[in-house]
Amino acid sequence: VQPPEKPLQTEEWNKLREDFHLPEVFEEVMLNSMIRCNSSVDVAKSLLTHLAKCNGDIPYNVLVKYLTLCVQQGQVSEIRDVYDIMKVRFKILESGAYNLLIKGFSNSNQWRMALTLLEEVKKIMIPSRTCYESCIKAASRHQEMKLAFELYNEMLAEDVVPTLDVLQSFFDFSRGMKGAELQKDIFDILLYLRENQIYPHKTFMWSIKLWFESLPGGNWRGRLTNINDSGQCPVCNHQLEDSNLTEEEYSNLSERIIRDVIHGTDTFRKTSPKELEAFQTFVENRLPFDIVIDGLNVSHIKSRKMQCENLFDAVSCLAKENARLLVLGRKHMLMNSSNWKREIMKEMQNKADFFFAENISEDDAFLLYATLRSGKHCRFVTRDFLRDHKACLSDSLTRHLFRKWQRGHQIVKKKCFPSVFSQQPAFRYDCVVQTTGDTWHIPYKDVFEEKYSFQVPRKWLCIQQK
């Protein structure tokens, strides 16, 4: 449907509607088209006036579409009018409408209205990431950094994960601003990147560099560099953190994971205590392993190949070093089927120990248990990122140790050779944001990646206080 160039009268709208092959959805299709073509608000308004005349009111979903067009064009008075209509007609709105209203107000001189709406949302649900971030950016744009950080911390407390875009905006909007508290808040964002193993992309990295260099009287200087294999920074000669955990860190971490993650409540939702006990006995009788493999996960590596062949390739590749392997499988793998051939499974069982769990079990907990019980040398193979378990580890130090252990122990397949597996990172230093107080080292990527990647960056920003 091509939207008209100018507002139409009722009879003209009626004519268009009659000619349309599905008249009952005409208004929605027309408004979608107006949004796509960024039509004049007056044209859309004439459609709404026509609807109100014919039906006596305007349906909720049509109002939301009109609101989308107004927000897209920053028509604040129209956004305000739609909100007033909605407030009178509907007791509560759904999240889509709140997202639009908050976004619309936050980009205008009526941005405080967005904060009022955010409070309204909180009474009925946890606000979405879009709601929080629109308000944070509005506050930052108006130099109200204290308010922006309050909203940011509230967002984290609700487990709403911020985008890199909003994290970058803190550095952009507070450039050159004084204040010890503000500085501490910004440093906390860098520590958030560290704790969650997030690598900023190039434009975000530049924002960080410019923020440091703009600090009044700070004398910070940022330079881009590559860290050599020994872990020494060529710019400031500082030695980066070792990628290995100390004995004490390792035993603390494995105790915590076995206690919080494996014996915690989340495992038993998918695994019976009896099965977990059988697995623990199985592992304890065969310790230690060198590599633990999430069999089902690895079996999906190449979609055009049979699952058992994918797993066979992985087991054959990893068994080459005479490593003792444990493969976590599922009972359905033992049924002869198009994906699981009995003779291939038999051959694999000569190369590795197999534990076949029920078909609904929680593999990650088993994977972590067997790897940690085998000792510091043992590594594991999965394409998962084990994000869920990080949440069970309540304090940030343990979470950091978990990520550090994971970086040094997770084996992933190489992109170019799907049947070749390699450990990430093969560095002696830890690839994560780190600081000594008067230096910061920040690993970064050239491009933005929404999905987590196991590829560790080779490029670093070194920031030094002179």
Side-chain angles (χ1 to χ4, degrees):
V1 178
Q2 202 51 40
E5 299 282 312
K6 58 185 198 332
L8 302 183
Q9 297 301 316
T10 291
E11 47 278 8
E12 293 171 297
W13 281 121
N14 277 334
K15 174 84 178 71
L16 281 178
R17 191 175 196 267
E18 281 159 21
D19 295 344
F20 188 62
H21 63 297
L22 289 167
E24 62 280 8
V25 291
F26 169 74
E27 285 79 14
E28 282 193 56
V29 174
M30 179 56 83
L31 279 160
N32 281 339
S33 183
M34 289 181 187
I35 293 164
R36 210 171 42 250
C37 302
N38 205 20
S39 300
S40 155
V41 165
D42 292 340
V43 177
K45 217 171 176 179
S46 78
L47 175 60
L48 263 61
T49 308
H50 152 70
L51 255 182
K53 267 186 194 163
C54 297
N55 304 346
D57 71 352
I58 300 161
Y60 181 85
N61 53 347
V62 171
L63 271 176
V64 171
K65 287 190 189 302
Y66 175 64
L67 181 60
T68 307
L69 186 67
C70 298
V71 170
Q72 190 171 293
Q73 297 182 8
Q75 303 272 359
V76 190
S77 62
E78 286 300 315
I79 295 169
R80 187 85 209 215
D81 288 349
V82 175
Y83 174 57
D84 290 340
I85 293 166
M86 285 180 148
K87 211 165 50 172
V88 171
R89 283 198 36 216
F90 311 104
K91 274 208 173 68
I92 55 168
L93 313 179
E94 43 71 62
S95 59
Y98 277 123
N99 283 348
L100 283 166
L101 289 164
I102 288 174
K103 191 178 169 188
F105 284 124
S106 65
N107 287 323
S108 74
N109 56 359
Q110 293 188 34
W111 66 278
R112 288 195 184 275
M113 186 66 198
L115 300 176
T116 308
L117 281 170
L118 186 69
E119 290 307 313
E120 206 172 291
V121 175
K122 283 185 212 168
K123 289 175 190 158
I124 44 175
M125 60 184 130
I126 292 173
S128 69
R129 174 155 81 180
T130 313
C131 288
Y132 270 122
E133 295 198 346
S134 298
C135 292
I136 288 169
K137 284 185 175 176
S140 304
R141 259 197 303 275
H142 292 84
Q143 306 282 287
E144 298 222 11
M145 298 313 293
K146 192 169 185 289
L147 171 60
F149 273 106
E150 275 169 17
L151 292 168
Y152 165 70
N153 288 322
E154 193 180 288
M155 179 182 181
L156 292 184
E158 291 288 8
D159 281 330
V160 180
V161 178
T163 58
L164 291 194
D165 181 49
V166 85
L167 298 180
Q168 184 182 338
S169 73
F170 280 112
F171 290 87
D172 290 338
F173 288 121
S174 62
R175 206 177 289 165
M177 286 171 78
K178 279 196 179 89
E181 196 179 335
L182 174 67
Q183 203 165 312
K184 185 199 166 294
D185 286 337
I186 293 276
F187 285 165
D188 282 347
I189 291 179
L190 293 172
L191 296 175
Y192 174 84
L193 297 181
R194 171 188 171 90
E195 190 180 304
N196 292 283
Q197 195 180 328
I198 296 167
Y199 303 123
H201 47 80
K202 213 180 212 164
T203 50
F204 186 1
M205 177 275 296
W206 278 109
S207 295
I208 295 171
K209 180 181 184 296
L210 292 170
W211 178 81
F212 270 99
E213 292 174 344
S214 77
L215 279 175
N219 294 332
W220 290 94
R221 172 141 191 243
R223 282 161 71 186
L224 309 189
T225 185
N226 288 15
I227 306 289
N228 56 37
D229 292 341
S230 69
Q232 191 177 39
C233 171
V235 176
C236 64
N237 297 325
H238 179 75
Q239 187 68 33
L240 294 190
E241 290 173 33
D242 194 319
S243 60
N244 287 321
L245 269 62
T246 64
E247 291 298 334
E248 191 185 352
E249 285 175 333
Y250 181 78
S251 69
N252 285 346
L253 178 70
S254 71
E255 271 171 36
R256 280 295 297 275
I257 289 185
I258 286 166
R259 189 185 76 208
D260 292 7
V261 177
I262 294 156
H263 296 298
T265 50
D266 74 328
T267 308
F268 292 131
R269 282 204 303 259
K270 293 177 187 166
T271 304
S272 69
K274 196 173 154 199
E275 184 177 53
L276 190 62
E277 208 174 302
F279 173 69
Q280 286 173 307
T281 308
F282 174 91
V283 169
E284 297 301 325
N285 289 339
R286 289 166 179 78
L287 285 174
F289 297 103
D290 298 314
I291 300 172
V292 182
I293 301 168
D294 181 344
L296 196 59
N297 183 286
V298 170
S299 74
H300 290 286
I301 278 178
K302 283 171 105 177
S303 53
R304 285 193 291 277
K305 252 184 154 171
M306 237 192 308
Q307 284 176 298
C308 63
E309 285 184 349
N310 280 329
L311 185 55
F312 183 79
D313 288 348
V315 168
S316 304
C317 171
L318 295 163
K320 274 181 193 152
E321 316 155 8
N322 290 326
R324 289 203 59 223
L325 309 183
L326 168 62
V327 180
L328 301 175
R330 296 290 178 86
K331 286 190 174 159
H332 71 255
M333 295 176 177
L334 293 168
M335 318 276 282
N336 204 13
S337 67
S338 58
N339 257 319
W340 299 100
K341 294 282 174 247
R342 192 161 285 152
E343 61 277 13
I344 298 180
M345 290 302 293
K346 272 216 171 93
E347 203 179 329
M348 268 195 275
Q349 282 167 278
N350 294 330
K351 297 173 186 270
D353 279 305
F354 271 75
F355 181 85
F356 295 99
E358 290 297 337
N359 294 332
I360 52 158
S361 298
E362 172 55 88
D363 298 32
D364 288 356
F366 286 10
L367 183 85
L368 291 172
Y369 181 84
T371 310
L372 288 161
R373 284 294 295 128
S374 292
K376 227 173 137 180
H377 73 289
C378 184
R379 295 167 300 160
F380 63 93
V381 186
T382 178
R383 297 180 305 151
D384 280 349
F385 187 45
L386 310 181
R387 277 200 190 280
D388 297 350
H389 298 301
K390 200 205 86 187
C392 304
L393 302 167
S394 47
D395 64 287
S396 61
L397 176 65
T398 313
R399 282 203 294 269
H400 171 67
L401 288 180
F402 177 61
R403 283 278 170 256
K404 186 172 177 173
W405 171 76
Q406 184 183 8
R407 282 192 291 278
H409 290 77
Q410 188 156 4
I411 295 174
V412 292
K413 70 176 177 59
K414 288 194 164 171
K415 266 215 173 78
C416 33
F417 308 108
S419 54
V420 176
F421 288 78
S422 71
Q423 191 175 344
Q424 286 282 1
F427 308 132
R428 282 167 51 191
Y429 58 89
D430 196 10
C431 197
V432 66
V433 171
Q434 44 196 276
T435 181
T436 59
D438 57 356
T439 68
W440 282 85
H441 288 89
I442 297 162
Y444 70 93
K445 300 210 161 183
D446 280 331
V447 287
F448 167 68
E449 284 170 353
E450 176 67 66
K451 218 170 146 339
Y452 180 80
S453 153
F454 292 104
Q455 298 305 317
V456 171
R458 303 304 307 251
K459 299 180 171 181
W460 289 72
L461 167 66
C462 164
I463 305 167
Q464 217 181 343
Q465 196 168 28
K466 292 282 185 247

